[in-house]
Amino acid sequence: MLDNQQKIAVSAEQLEVIESALHTQSKILNVQAEAGGSAARQRLNEVKRLLALLSQQKPAKTPERCPRGAFGWLWTRCLD
């Protein structure tokens, strides 16, 4: 991977697509690495490092407020 860094503007939706694609790539590389591909193992490690970096950089989701009904004060958590 390159040592230089460059900042780009990416929307939250685009970041989700990138992260999903990296998860898919990780699964493919894992199968290739298990078949004995040393290059696939190295690339898999790079993808895993990038996924870890993305998860650290991703802003924490703020919990949505629970709808309150007549007995909303009884709820201890939101129900789906």
Side-chain angles (χ1 to χ4, degrees):
M1 295 195 17
L2 300 175
D3 290 337
N4 60 350
Q5 295 182 3
Q6 182 177 0
K7 293 185 179 188
I8 58 172
V10 180
S11 71
E13 292 81 18
Q14 291 170 326
L15 188 57
E16 286 182 24
V17 170
I18 292 168
E19 191 173 13
S20 176
L22 287 172
H23 279 290
T24 301
Q25 184 66 27
S26 175
K27 291 175 184 178
I28 294 167
L29 289 169
N30 190 46
V31 170
Q32 292 175 344
E34 286 178 356
S38 60
R41 174 67 58 196
Q42 182 179 0
R43 187 68 173 169
L44 175 61
N45 290 335
E46 292 172 1
V47 170
K48 285 184 177 182
R49 279 193 296 272
L50 182 54
L51 281 168
L53 179 66
L54 285 176
S55 68
Q56 291 173 358
Q57 299 292 323
K58 194 185 322 183
K61 291 185 177 181
T62 57
E64 295 181 18
R65 288 188 52 97
C66 297
R68 298 242 176 208
F71 298 104
W73 54 274
L74 290 174
W75 294 1
T76 57
R77 63 182 175 88
C78 291
L79 302 175
D80 291 328

